[in-house]
Every structure is written in structure tokens, then in C-alpha cells.
Amino acid sequence: MTRRTAIAGMVSALMLGLTAAGTAAPVTAEKTPGEPYKRTELYFGGNRPDGSPITPADFELFLDKEVTPAFPDGLTWLDAHGQWKGGKEDSYVLILLYPYDKRSAGREIEEIRSDYKKQFQQESVLRADSVERVSF
């Protein structure tokens, strides 16, 4: 047997194995409970430009006036520590979970970001979006 014939035989055997593997019954994983929801995390700076802190009470008042009316079903916020352009500061993380059919969510989230930047003289509010499975 020549080297070329041996290689051709090995390639044929490998291709047959891959074809057979591709037609095998798929392994079924246990389904995770819940429904797909959109998840948005917002990261808010905790200091004003003059260095004075945005206190937890300030942030809670902002949540009550600006966020809760747009997302009355619930939300989560966390105290955090962050870094922005080389400066470290306390910060806040807001987690919103909402169904796909909440068409106004994107606009409302952008208004929240804009209101926070204006009210607390912030350069930015980071937004991160993903999809999660949610079960209540």
C-alpha cells in the first residue's frame, strides 16, 4: 500500500465517522425553567464632578422618582465600587429584567440614563444588555 492510498483510506474512514456522528440522535439536556427575558444592567457613578458623593439616599430618591414608575414590577440595585478613567469611586448597579413585549423599555432606559447624567452631572451611565431565562 502506498502512502497516498493509506492517507486516502484514513480520510475516508474519518469522513464516514463524522457523517455517522452527525446523524446520531442528539443528546437532550434538561430544560431550564422560565421564560426568556431581557436584562439590562446600568452602572451609575457615585461621585459628582466636585468629588462630593451621591449618597445611597440620593440614589434611592432617584430610583423612586425616575426608575420605579417605568419598571413598577421590580428591580434590583447594588452598592458597588468602580473605576472610571483612572479614578476610583463608589457606584451603583441597577439590574432590570423585563419581558420581550415591553416595547417601551428601551426608550425608558435611555431616559433614566439621560436623567441621571443631567441630575448628577455625570459623563456617562454604562448600559449592558443580555438575555436571561427567568422564573418567578
Side-chain angles (χ1 to χ4, degrees), residues 38-44 62 66-67 70-71 94-98 102-117 125-129:
K38 291 184 180 181
R39 175 185 174 129
T40 298
E41 293 180 6
L42 298 176
Y43 295 80
F44 300 91
F62 177 81
E66 307 296 336
V67 181
F71 294 91
L94 174 65
I95 302 168
L96 301 168
L97 294 164
Y98 49 95
K102 184 172 173 65
R103 297 196 182 277
S104 61
R107 177 183 47 78
E108 291 166 335
I109 291 167
E110 288 307 304
E111 286 177 14
I112 291 165
R113 294 174 72 204
S114 178
D115 291 346
Y116 191 84
K117 288 188 284 189
V125 172
L126 174 66
R127 177 178 179 168
D129 294 297

PDB file of all heavy atoms in Angstrom, residues 38-44 62 66-67 70-71 94-98 102-117 125-129:
ATOM      1  N   LYS A  38     -35.386  40.026  28.751  1.00  0.00           N
ATOM      2  CA  LYS A  38     -34.252  40.917  28.531  1.00  0.00           C
ATOM      3  C   LYS A  38     -33.725  41.348  29.893  1.00  0.00           C
ATOM      4  O   LYS A  38     -34.475  41.502  30.845  1.00  0.00           O
ATOM      5  CB  LYS A  38     -34.680  42.137  27.730  1.00  0.00           C
ATOM      6  CG  LYS A  38     -35.032  41.803  26.294  1.00  0.00           C
ATOM      7  CD  LYS A  38     -35.362  43.053  25.530  1.00  0.00           C
ATOM      8  CE  LYS A  38     -35.722  42.723  24.095  1.00  0.00           C
ATOM      9  NZ  LYS A  38     -36.024  43.944  23.335  1.00  0.00           N
ATOM     10  N   ARG A  39     -32.422  41.527  29.962  1.00  0.00           N
ATOM     11  CA  ARG A  39     -31.767  42.000  31.179  1.00  0.00           C
ATOM     12  C   ARG A  39     -30.919  43.203  30.811  1.00  0.00           C
ATOM     13  O   ARG A  39     -30.130  43.149  29.865  1.00  0.00           O
ATOM     14  CB  ARG A  39     -30.881  40.907  31.776  1.00  0.00           C
ATOM     15  CG  ARG A  39     -30.082  41.369  32.983  1.00  0.00           C
ATOM     16  CD  ARG A  39     -29.141  40.285  33.456  1.00  0.00           C
ATOM     17  NE  ARG A  39     -28.286  40.769  34.517  1.00  0.00           N
ATOM     18  CZ  ARG A  39     -28.126  40.135  35.679  1.00  0.00           C
ATOM     19  NH1 ARG A  39     -28.753  39.004  35.918  1.00  0.00           N
ATOM     20  NH2 ARG A  39     -27.325  40.637  36.585  1.00  0.00           N
ATOM     21  N   THR A  40     -31.108  44.269  31.549  1.00  0.00           N
ATOM     22  CA  THR A  40     -30.281  45.454  31.365  1.00  0.00           C
ATOM     23  C   THR A  40     -29.647  45.797  32.698  1.00  0.00           C
ATOM     24  O   THR A  40     -30.328  45.850  33.718  1.00  0.00           O
ATOM     25  CB  THR A  40     -31.115  46.648  30.847  1.00  0.00           C
ATOM     26  OG1 THR A  40     -31.659  46.313  29.570  1.00  0.00           O
ATOM     27  CG2 THR A  40     -30.259  47.897  30.713  1.00  0.00           C
ATOM     28  N   GLU A  41     -28.348  45.996  32.675  1.00  0.00           N
ATOM     29  CA  GLU A  41     -27.624  46.471  33.845  1.00  0.00           C
ATOM     30  C   GLU A  41     -27.165  47.891  33.539  1.00  0.00           C
ATOM     31  O   GLU A  41     -26.644  48.160  32.458  1.00  0.00           O
ATOM     32  CB  GLU A  41     -26.405  45.596  34.135  1.00  0.00           C
ATOM     33  CG  GLU A  41     -26.759  44.199  34.556  1.00  0.00           C
ATOM     34  CD  GLU A  41     -25.532  43.342  34.839  1.00  0.00           C
ATOM     35  OE1 GLU A  41     -24.397  43.876  34.819  1.00  0.00           O
ATOM     36  OE2 GLU A  41     -25.716  42.144  35.071  1.00  0.00           O
ATOM     37  N   LEU A  42     -27.393  48.784  34.492  1.00  0.00           N
ATOM     38  CA  LEU A  42     -26.925  50.158  34.381  1.00  0.00           C
ATOM     39  C   LEU A  42     -25.932  50.413  35.507  1.00  0.00           C
ATOM     40  O   LEU A  42     -26.178  50.039  36.654  1.00  0.00           O
ATOM     41  CB  LEU A  42     -28.098  51.144  34.475  1.00  0.00           C
ATOM     42  CG  LEU A  42     -29.159  51.028  33.387  1.00  0.00           C
ATOM     43  CD1 LEU A  42     -30.297  51.990  33.663  1.00  0.00           C
ATOM     44  CD2 LEU A  42     -28.575  51.271  32.012  1.00  0.00           C
ATOM     45  N   TYR A  43     -24.816  51.045  35.164  1.00  0.00           N
ATOM     46  CA  TYR A  43     -23.752  51.336  36.122  1.00  0.00           C
ATOM     47  C   TYR A  43     -23.667  52.855  36.287  1.00  0.00           C
ATOM     48  O   TYR A  43     -23.363  53.571  35.329  1.00  0.00           O
ATOM     49  CB  TYR A  43     -22.422  50.780  35.614  1.00  0.00           C
ATOM     50  CG  TYR A  43     -22.431  49.281  35.521  1.00  0.00           C
ATOM     51  CD1 TYR A  43     -23.029  48.623  34.442  1.00  0.00           C
ATOM     52  CD2 TYR A  43     -21.847  48.509  36.519  1.00  0.00           C
ATOM     53  CE1 TYR A  43     -23.039  47.236  34.365  1.00  0.00           C
ATOM     54  CE2 TYR A  43     -21.848  47.119  36.440  1.00  0.00           C
ATOM     55  CZ  TYR A  43     -22.455  46.501  35.365  1.00  0.00           C
ATOM     56  OH  TYR A  43     -22.460  45.130  35.293  1.00  0.00           O
ATOM     57  N   PHE A  44     -23.961  53.315  37.503  1.00  0.00           N
ATOM     58  CA  PHE A  44     -24.036  54.737  37.805  1.00  0.00           C
ATOM     59  C   PHE A  44     -22.850  55.157  38.668  1.00  0.00           C
ATOM     60  O   PHE A  44     -22.571  54.534  39.694  1.00  0.00           O
ATOM     61  CB  PHE A  44     -25.307  55.038  38.606  1.00  0.00           C
ATOM     62  CG  PHE A  44     -26.583  54.686  37.894  1.00  0.00           C
ATOM     63  CD1 PHE A  44     -27.159  53.434  38.057  1.00  0.00           C
ATOM     64  CD2 PHE A  44     -27.233  55.616  37.094  1.00  0.00           C
ATOM     65  CE1 PHE A  44     -28.352  53.117  37.427  1.00  0.00           C
ATOM     66  CE2 PHE A  44     -28.416  55.297  36.460  1.00  0.00           C
ATOM     67  CZ  PHE A  44     -28.982  54.044  36.626  1.00  0.00           C
ATOM     68  N   PHE A  62     -33.691  58.971  43.527  1.00  0.00           N
ATOM     69  CA  PHE A  62     -33.677  58.899  42.062  1.00  0.00           C
ATOM     70  C   PHE A  62     -34.447  57.660  41.584  1.00  0.00           C
ATOM     71  O   PHE A  62     -35.261  57.747  40.660  1.00  0.00           O
ATOM     72  CB  PHE A  62     -32.229  58.874  41.548  1.00  0.00           C
ATOM     73  CG  PHE A  62     -32.136  58.721  40.064  1.00  0.00           C
ATOM     74  CD1 PHE A  62     -32.308  59.810  39.227  1.00  0.00           C
ATOM     75  CD2 PHE A  62     -31.888  57.481  39.488  1.00  0.00           C
ATOM     76  CE1 PHE A  62     -32.240  59.678  37.852  1.00  0.00           C
ATOM     77  CE2 PHE A  62     -31.813  57.335  38.117  1.00  0.00           C
ATOM     78  CZ  PHE A  62     -31.988  58.433  37.292  1.00  0.00           C
ATOM     79  N   GLU A  66     -37.588  58.249  39.230  1.00  0.00           N
ATOM     80  CA  GLU A  66     -37.290  58.067  37.808  1.00  0.00           C
ATOM     81  C   GLU A  66     -37.397  56.632  37.313  1.00  0.00           C
ATOM     82  O   GLU A  66     -37.759  56.402  36.164  1.00  0.00           O
ATOM     83  CB  GLU A  66     -35.884  58.593  37.499  1.00  0.00           C
ATOM     84  CG  GLU A  66     -35.620  60.014  37.939  1.00  0.00           C
ATOM     85  CD  GLU A  66     -36.476  61.055  37.229  1.00  0.00           C
ATOM     86  OE1 GLU A  66     -36.949  60.779  36.105  1.00  0.00           O
ATOM     87  OE2 GLU A  66     -36.666  62.139  37.802  1.00  0.00           O
ATOM     88  N   VAL A  67     -37.048  55.668  38.153  1.00  0.00           N
ATOM     89  CA  VAL A  67     -36.959  54.288  37.682  1.00  0.00           C
ATOM     90  C   VAL A  67     -38.219  53.486  37.997  1.00  0.00           C
ATOM     91  O   VAL A  67     -38.785  52.830  37.117  1.00  0.00           O
ATOM     92  CB  VAL A  67     -35.711  53.589  38.271  1.00  0.00           C
ATOM     93  CG1 VAL A  67     -35.609  52.155  37.754  1.00  0.00           C
ATOM     94  CG2 VAL A  67     -34.449  54.373  37.939  1.00  0.00           C
ATOM     95  N   ALA A  70     -41.249  53.608  35.706  1.00  0.00           N
ATOM     96  CA  ALA A  70     -41.049  52.940  34.416  1.00  0.00           C
ATOM     97  C   ALA A  70     -40.993  51.421  34.552  1.00  0.00           C
ATOM     98  O   ALA A  70     -41.344  50.694  33.623  1.00  0.00           O
ATOM     99  CB  ALA A  70     -39.769  53.448  33.755  1.00  0.00           C
ATOM    100  N   PHE A  71     -40.556  50.924  35.720  1.00  0.00           N
ATOM    101  CA  PHE A  71     -40.410  49.485  35.959  1.00  0.00           C
ATOM    102  C   PHE A  71     -41.033  49.132  37.316  1.00  0.00           C
ATOM    103  O   PHE A  71     -40.334  48.740  38.253  1.00  0.00           O
ATOM    104  CB  PHE A  71     -38.921  49.079  35.906  1.00  0.00           C
ATOM    105  CG  PHE A  71     -38.331  49.247  34.541  1.00  0.00           C
ATOM    106  CD1 PHE A  71     -37.727  50.437  34.175  1.00  0.00           C
ATOM    107  CD2 PHE A  71     -38.411  48.226  33.599  1.00  0.00           C
ATOM    108  CE1 PHE A  71     -37.208  50.618  32.904  1.00  0.00           C
ATOM    109  CE2 PHE A  71     -37.900  48.392  32.325  1.00  0.00           C
ATOM    110  CZ  PHE A  71     -37.298  49.596  31.971  1.00  0.00           C
ATOM    111  N   LEU A  94     -27.763  48.921  38.738  1.00  0.00           N
ATOM    112  CA  LEU A  94     -29.199  48.674  38.655  1.00  0.00           C
ATOM    113  C   LEU A  94     -29.418  47.522  37.689  1.00  0.00           C
ATOM    114  O   LEU A  94     -28.888  47.544  36.572  1.00  0.00           O
ATOM    115  CB  LEU A  94     -29.924  49.923  38.167  1.00  0.00           C
ATOM    116  CG  LEU A  94     -31.415  49.798  37.889  1.00  0.00           C
ATOM    117  CD1 LEU A  94     -32.179  49.491  39.175  1.00  0.00           C
ATOM    118  CD2 LEU A  94     -31.925  51.076  37.244  1.00  0.00           C
ATOM    119  N   ILE A  95     -30.174  46.520  38.119  1.00  0.00           N
ATOM    120  CA  ILE A  95     -30.481  45.365  37.266  1.00  0.00           C
ATOM    121  C   ILE A  95     -31.975  45.369  36.983  1.00  0.00           C
ATOM    122  O   ILE A  95     -32.798  45.348  37.909  1.00  0.00           O
ATOM    123  CB  ILE A  95     -30.074  44.050  37.946  1.00  0.00           C
ATOM    124  CG1 ILE A  95     -28.581  44.064  38.278  1.00  0.00           C
ATOM    125  CG2 ILE A  95     -30.430  42.854  37.051  1.00  0.00           C
ATOM    126  CD1 ILE A  95     -28.138  42.947  39.198  1.00  0.00           C
ATOM    127  N   LEU A  96     -32.310  45.390  35.699  1.00  0.00           N
ATOM    128  CA  LEU A  96     -33.699  45.360  35.259  1.00  0.00           C
ATOM    129  C   LEU A  96     -33.924  44.099  34.439  1.00  0.00           C
ATOM    130  O   LEU A  96     -33.156  43.801  33.516  1.00  0.00           O
ATOM    131  CB  LEU A  96     -34.017  46.584  34.391  1.00  0.00           C
ATOM    132  CG  LEU A  96     -33.822  47.949  35.040  1.00  0.00           C
ATOM    133  CD1 LEU A  96     -33.875  49.045  33.988  1.00  0.00           C
ATOM    134  CD2 LEU A  96     -34.884  48.176  36.113  1.00  0.00           C
ATOM    135  N   LEU A  97     -34.952  43.345  34.757  1.00  0.00           N
ATOM    136  CA  LEU A  97     -35.389  42.187  33.975  1.00  0.00           C
ATOM    137  C   LEU A  97     -36.795  42.487  33.486  1.00  0.00           C
ATOM    138  O   LEU A  97     -37.655  42.868  34.287  1.00  0.00           O
ATOM    139  CB  LEU A  97     -35.382  40.924  34.832  1.00  0.00           C
ATOM    140  CG  LEU A  97     -34.008  40.465  35.298  1.00  0.00           C
ATOM    141  CD1 LEU A  97     -34.155  39.461  36.434  1.00  0.00           C
ATOM    142  CD2 LEU A  97     -33.236  39.855  34.155  1.00  0.00           C
ATOM    143  N   TYR A  98     -37.035  42.311  32.194  1.00  0.00           N
ATOM    144  CA  TYR A  98     -38.344  42.663  31.647  1.00  0.00           C
ATOM    145  C   TYR A  98     -38.647  41.794  30.430  1.00  0.00           C
ATOM    146  O   TYR A  98     -37.740  41.353  29.721  1.00  0.00           O
ATOM    147  CB  TYR A  98     -38.400  44.158  31.297  1.00  0.00           C
ATOM    148  CG  TYR A  98     -37.225  44.653  30.478  1.00  0.00           C
ATOM    149  CD1 TYR A  98     -37.293  44.729  29.097  1.00  0.00           C
ATOM    150  CD2 TYR A  98     -36.032  45.019  31.098  1.00  0.00           C
ATOM    151  CE1 TYR A  98     -36.215  45.171  28.352  1.00  0.00           C
ATOM    152  CE2 TYR A  98     -34.951  45.461  30.368  1.00  0.00           C
ATOM    153  CZ  TYR A  98     -35.038  45.534  28.994  1.00  0.00           C
ATOM    154  OH  TYR A  98     -33.974  45.965  28.250  1.00  0.00           O
ATOM    155  N   LYS A 102     -42.274  44.235  26.313  1.00  0.00           N
ATOM    156  CA  LYS A 102     -42.282  45.583  26.911  1.00  0.00           C
ATOM    157  C   LYS A 102     -41.569  46.514  25.936  1.00  0.00           C
ATOM    158  O   LYS A 102     -40.386  46.820  26.068  1.00  0.00           O
ATOM    159  CB  LYS A 102     -41.622  45.594  28.282  1.00  0.00           C
ATOM    160  CG  LYS A 102     -41.689  46.960  28.972  1.00  0.00           C
ATOM    161  CD  LYS A 102     -41.209  46.884  30.392  1.00  0.00           C
ATOM    162  CE  LYS A 102     -41.095  48.227  31.053  1.00  0.00           C
ATOM    163  NZ  LYS A 102     -42.315  48.951  31.243  1.00  0.00           N
ATOM    164  N   ARG A 103     -42.298  46.955  24.939  1.00  0.00           N
ATOM    165  CA  ARG A 103     -41.723  47.734  23.842  1.00  0.00           C
ATOM    166  C   ARG A 103     -41.167  49.081  24.283  1.00  0.00           C
ATOM    167  O   ARG A 103     -40.255  49.609  23.659  1.00  0.00           O
ATOM    168  CB  ARG A 103     -42.754  47.939  22.744  1.00  0.00           C
ATOM    169  CG  ARG A 103     -43.191  46.633  22.115  1.00  0.00           C
ATOM    170  CD  ARG A 103     -43.895  46.880  20.797  1.00  0.00           C
ATOM    171  NE  ARG A 103     -44.365  45.642  20.210  1.00  0.00           N
ATOM    172  CZ  ARG A 103     -43.619  44.826  19.493  1.00  0.00           C
ATOM    173  NH1 ARG A 103     -42.348  45.108  19.305  1.00  0.00           N
ATOM    174  NH2 ARG A 103     -44.123  43.728  18.979  1.00  0.00           N
ATOM    175  N   SER A 104     -41.677  49.640  25.351  1.00  0.00           N
ATOM    176  CA  SER A 104     -41.230  50.954  25.806  1.00  0.00           C
ATOM    177  C   SER A 104     -39.943  50.884  26.627  1.00  0.00           C
ATOM    178  O   SER A 104     -39.370  51.924  26.966  1.00  0.00           O
ATOM    179  CB  SER A 104     -42.329  51.616  26.630  1.00  0.00           C
ATOM    180  OG  SER A 104     -42.618  50.829  27.777  1.00  0.00           O
ATOM    181  N   ALA A 105     -39.460  49.698  26.940  1.00  0.00           N
ATOM    182  CA  ALA A 105     -38.322  49.547  27.849  1.00  0.00           C
ATOM    183  C   ALA A 105     -37.075  50.274  27.351  1.00  0.00           C
ATOM    184  O   ALA A 105     -36.413  50.975  28.126  1.00  0.00           O
ATOM    185  CB  ALA A 105     -38.012  48.067  28.083  1.00  0.00           C
ATOM    186  N   GLY A 106     -36.722  50.116  26.107  1.00  0.00           N
ATOM    187  CA  GLY A 106     -35.507  50.748  25.586  1.00  0.00           C
ATOM    188  C   GLY A 106     -35.541  52.258  25.728  1.00  0.00           C
ATOM    189  O   GLY A 106     -34.565  52.877  26.175  1.00  0.00           O
ATOM    190  N   ARG A 107     -36.663  52.864  25.378  1.00  0.00           N
ATOM    191  CA  ARG A 107     -36.814  54.311  25.497  1.00  0.00           C
ATOM    192  C   ARG A 107     -36.749  54.745  26.959  1.00  0.00           C
ATOM    193  O   ARG A 107     -36.078  55.719  27.304  1.00  0.00           O
ATOM    194  CB  ARG A 107     -38.142  54.758  24.870  1.00  0.00           C
ATOM    195  CG  ARG A 107     -38.429  56.241  25.014  1.00  0.00           C
ATOM    196  CD  ARG A 107     -39.794  56.638  24.456  1.00  0.00           C
ATOM    197  NE  ARG A 107     -40.883  55.780  24.878  1.00  0.00           N
ATOM    198  CZ  ARG A 107     -41.481  55.829  26.084  1.00  0.00           C
ATOM    199  NH1 ARG A 107     -41.071  56.682  26.989  1.00  0.00           N
ATOM    200  NH2 ARG A 107     -42.484  55.013  26.377  1.00  0.00           N
ATOM    201  N   GLU A 108     -37.429  53.999  27.831  1.00  0.00           N
ATOM    202  CA  GLU A 108     -37.439  54.341  29.254  1.00  0.00           C
ATOM    203  C   GLU A 108     -36.043  54.223  29.867  1.00  0.00           C
ATOM    204  O   GLU A 108     -35.639  55.064  30.683  1.00  0.00           O
ATOM    205  CB  GLU A 108     -38.438  53.447  29.992  1.00  0.00           C
ATOM    206  CG  GLU A 108     -39.877  53.771  29.615  1.00  0.00           C
ATOM    207  CD  GLU A 108     -40.890  52.725  30.051  1.00  0.00           C
ATOM    208  OE1 GLU A 108     -40.511  51.544  30.224  1.00  0.00           O
ATOM    209  OE2 GLU A 108     -42.062  53.085  30.204  1.00  0.00           O
ATOM    210  N   ILE A 109     -35.299  53.215  29.476  1.00  0.00           N
ATOM    211  CA  ILE A 109     -33.930  53.050  29.988  1.00  0.00           C
ATOM    212  C   ILE A 109     -33.043  54.203  29.532  1.00  0.00           C
ATOM    213  O   ILE A 109     -32.248  54.733  30.313  1.00  0.00           O
ATOM    214  CB  ILE A 109     -33.362  51.677  29.565  1.00  0.00           C
ATOM    215  CG1 ILE A 109     -34.107  50.577  30.323  1.00  0.00           C
ATOM    216  CG2 ILE A 109     -31.859  51.606  29.807  1.00  0.00           C
ATOM    217  CD1 ILE A 109     -33.876  49.184  29.786  1.00  0.00           C
ATOM    218  N   GLU A 110     -33.188  54.611  28.302  1.00  0.00           N
ATOM    219  CA  GLU A 110     -32.394  55.746  27.814  1.00  0.00           C
ATOM    220  C   GLU A 110     -32.767  57.030  28.546  1.00  0.00           C
ATOM    221  O   GLU A 110     -31.899  57.863  28.834  1.00  0.00           O
ATOM    222  CB  GLU A 110     -32.539  55.899  26.304  1.00  0.00           C
ATOM    223  CG  GLU A 110     -31.832  54.811  25.526  1.00  0.00           C
ATOM    224  CD  GLU A 110     -30.370  54.660  25.937  1.00  0.00           C
ATOM    225  OE1 GLU A 110     -29.610  55.658  25.878  1.00  0.00           O
ATOM    226  OE2 GLU A 110     -29.971  53.538  26.330  1.00  0.00           O
ATOM    227  N   GLU A 111     -34.033  57.204  28.886  1.00  0.00           N
ATOM    228  CA  GLU A 111     -34.450  58.377  29.670  1.00  0.00           C
ATOM    229  C   GLU A 111     -33.839  58.333  31.070  1.00  0.00           C
ATOM    230  O   GLU A 111     -33.407  59.374  31.595  1.00  0.00           O
ATOM    231  CB  GLU A 111     -35.977  58.455  29.762  1.00  0.00           C
ATOM    232  CG  GLU A 111     -36.631  58.903  28.483  1.00  0.00           C
ATOM    233  CD  GLU A 111     -38.153  58.917  28.564  1.00  0.00           C
ATOM    234  OE1 GLU A 111     -38.725  58.832  29.678  1.00  0.00           O
ATOM    235  OE2 GLU A 111     -38.787  59.010  27.494  1.00  0.00           O
ATOM    236  N   ILE A 112     -33.803  57.156  31.679  1.00  0.00           N
ATOM    237  CA  ILE A 112     -33.183  57.001  33.003  1.00  0.00           C
ATOM    238  C   ILE A 112     -31.709  57.397  32.937  1.00  0.00           C
ATOM    239  O   ILE A 112     -31.220  58.153  33.788  1.00  0.00           O
ATOM    240  CB  ILE A 112     -33.351  55.551  33.512  1.00  0.00           C
ATOM    241  CG1 ILE A 112     -34.825  55.275  33.848  1.00  0.00           C
ATOM    242  CG2 ILE A 112     -32.435  55.269  34.700  1.00  0.00           C
ATOM    243  CD1 ILE A 112     -35.161  53.800  34.007  1.00  0.00           C
ATOM    244  N   ARG A 113     -31.014  56.916  31.945  1.00  0.00           N
ATOM    245  CA  ARG A 113     -29.591  57.254  31.788  1.00  0.00           C
ATOM    246  C   ARG A 113     -29.405  58.756  31.622  1.00  0.00           C
ATOM    247  O   ARG A 113     -28.551  59.379  32.262  1.00  0.00           O
ATOM    248  CB  ARG A 113     -28.999  56.526  30.587  1.00  0.00           C
ATOM    249  CG  ARG A 113     -28.936  55.027  30.748  1.00  0.00           C
ATOM    250  CD  ARG A 113     -28.468  54.337  29.487  1.00  0.00           C
ATOM    251  NE  ARG A 113     -27.043  54.576  29.297  1.00  0.00           N
ATOM    252  CZ  ARG A 113     -26.438  54.524  28.116  1.00  0.00           C
ATOM    253  NH1 ARG A 113     -27.119  54.269  27.018  1.00  0.00           N
ATOM    254  NH2 ARG A 113     -25.148  54.727  28.026  1.00  0.00           N
ATOM    255  N   SER A 114     -30.212  59.345  30.766  1.00  0.00           N
ATOM    256  CA  SER A 114     -30.122  60.777  30.497  1.00  0.00           C
ATOM    257  C   SER A 114     -30.440  61.597  31.748  1.00  0.00           C
ATOM    258  O   SER A 114     -29.733  62.567  32.070  1.00  0.00           O
ATOM    259  CB  SER A 114     -31.084  61.136  29.362  1.00  0.00           C
ATOM    260  OG  SER A 114     -31.057  62.512  29.113  1.00  0.00           O
ATOM    261  N   ASP A 115     -31.488  61.210  32.460  1.00  0.00           N
ATOM    262  CA  ASP A 115     -31.880  61.933  33.683  1.00  0.00           C
ATOM    263  C   ASP A 115     -30.784  61.863  34.737  1.00  0.00           C
ATOM    264  O   ASP A 115     -30.507  62.852  35.421  1.00  0.00           O
ATOM    265  CB  ASP A 115     -33.191  61.381  34.244  1.00  0.00           C
ATOM    266  CG  ASP A 115     -34.395  61.700  33.367  1.00  0.00           C
ATOM    267  OD1 ASP A 115     -34.290  62.555  32.463  1.00  0.00           O
ATOM    268  OD2 ASP A 115     -35.458  61.078  33.588  1.00  0.00           O
ATOM    269  N   TYR A 116     -30.161  60.697  34.898  1.00  0.00           N
ATOM    270  CA  TYR A 116     -29.106  60.563  35.900  1.00  0.00           C
ATOM    271  C   TYR A 116     -27.907  61.437  35.540  1.00  0.00           C
ATOM    272  O   TYR A 116     -27.356  62.135  36.400  1.00  0.00           O
ATOM    273  CB  TYR A 116     -28.686  59.096  36.047  1.00  0.00           C
ATOM    274  CG  TYR A 116     -27.801  58.854  37.245  1.00  0.00           C
ATOM    275  CD1 TYR A 116     -28.347  58.650  38.499  1.00  0.00           C
ATOM    276  CD2 TYR A 116     -26.416  58.834  37.134  1.00  0.00           C
ATOM    277  CE1 TYR A 116     -27.548  58.431  39.620  1.00  0.00           C
ATOM    278  CE2 TYR A 116     -25.601  58.616  38.240  1.00  0.00           C
ATOM    279  CZ  TYR A 116     -26.177  58.420  39.478  1.00  0.00           C
ATOM    280  OH  TYR A 116     -25.372  58.212  40.572  1.00  0.00           O
ATOM    281  N   LYS A 117     -27.502  61.394  34.288  1.00  0.00           N
ATOM    282  CA  LYS A 117     -26.358  62.196  33.857  1.00  0.00           C
ATOM    283  C   LYS A 117     -26.622  63.688  34.111  1.00  0.00           C
ATOM    284  O   LYS A 117     -25.746  64.399  34.606  1.00  0.00           O
ATOM    285  CB  LYS A 117     -26.041  61.947  32.382  1.00  0.00           C
ATOM    286  CG  LYS A 117     -25.424  60.584  32.135  1.00  0.00           C
ATOM    287  CD  LYS A 117     -24.931  60.419  30.721  1.00  0.00           C
ATOM    288  CE  LYS A 117     -26.050  60.180  29.755  1.00  0.00           C
ATOM    289  NZ  LYS A 117     -25.561  59.803  28.399  1.00  0.00           N
ATOM    290  N   VAL A 125     -23.429  56.851  31.823  1.00  0.00           N
ATOM    291  CA  VAL A 125     -24.026  55.749  32.581  1.00  0.00           C
ATOM    292  C   VAL A 125     -23.885  54.529  31.676  1.00  0.00           C
ATOM    293  O   VAL A 125     -24.451  54.486  30.582  1.00  0.00           O
ATOM    294  CB  VAL A 125     -25.517  56.002  32.919  1.00  0.00           C
ATOM    295  CG1 VAL A 125     -26.150  54.766  33.532  1.00  0.00           C
ATOM    296  CG2 VAL A 125     -25.671  57.205  33.849  1.00  0.00           C
ATOM    297  N   LEU A 126     -23.093  53.559  32.128  1.00  0.00           N
ATOM    298  CA  LEU A 126     -22.846  52.358  31.333  1.00  0.00           C
ATOM    299  C   LEU A 126     -24.107  51.507  31.251  1.00  0.00           C
ATOM    300  O   LEU A 126     -24.798  51.312  32.252  1.00  0.00           O
ATOM    301  CB  LEU A 126     -21.714  51.551  31.959  1.00  0.00           C
ATOM    302  CG  LEU A 126     -21.418  50.177  31.331  1.00  0.00           C
ATOM    303  CD1 LEU A 126     -20.891  50.341  29.914  1.00  0.00           C
ATOM    304  CD2 LEU A 126     -20.443  49.419  32.184  1.00  0.00           C
ATOM    305  N   ARG A 127     -24.395  50.998  30.066  1.00  0.00           N
ATOM    306  CA  ARG A 127     -25.523  50.096  29.847  1.00  0.00           C
ATOM    307  C   ARG A 127     -25.003  48.797  29.259  1.00  0.00           C
ATOM    308  O   ARG A 127     -24.218  48.797  28.317  1.00  0.00           O
ATOM    309  CB  ARG A 127     -26.527  50.725  28.878  1.00  0.00           C
ATOM    310  CG  ARG A 127     -27.688  49.817  28.541  1.00  0.00           C
ATOM    311  CD  ARG A 127     -28.682  50.482  27.610  1.00  0.00           C
ATOM    312  NE  ARG A 127     -29.769  49.561  27.285  1.00  0.00           N
ATOM    313  CZ  ARG A 127     -30.894  49.901  26.687  1.00  0.00           C
ATOM    314  NH1 ARG A 127     -31.097  51.160  26.346  1.00  0.00           N
ATOM    315  NH2 ARG A 127     -31.805  48.996  26.434  1.00  0.00           N
ATOM    316  N   ALA A 128     -25.449  47.664  29.843  1.00  0.00           N
ATOM    317  CA  ALA A 128     -25.101  46.340  29.323  1.00  0.00           C
ATOM    318  C   ALA A 128     -26.396  45.533  29.208  1.00  0.00           C
ATOM    319  O   ALA A 128     -27.150  45.438  30.169  1.00  0.00           O
ATOM    320  CB  ALA A 128     -24.117  45.642  30.256  1.00  0.00           C
ATOM    321  N   ASP A 129     -26.652  44.976  28.024  1.00  0.00           N
ATOM    322  CA  ASP A 129     -27.880  44.222  27.767  1.00  0.00           C
ATOM    323  C   ASP A 129     -27.559  42.766  27.470  1.00  0.00           C
ATOM    324  O   ASP A 129     -26.553  42.456  26.822  1.00  0.00           O
ATOM    325  CB  ASP A 129     -28.623  44.810  26.561  1.00  0.00           C
ATOM    326  CG  ASP A 129     -29.133  46.214  26.825  1.00  0.00           C
ATOM    327  OD1 ASP A 129     -29.964  46.378  27.709  1.00  0.00           O
ATOM    328  OD2 ASP A 129     -28.673  47.151  26.135  1.00  0.00           O
TER     329      ASP A 129
END
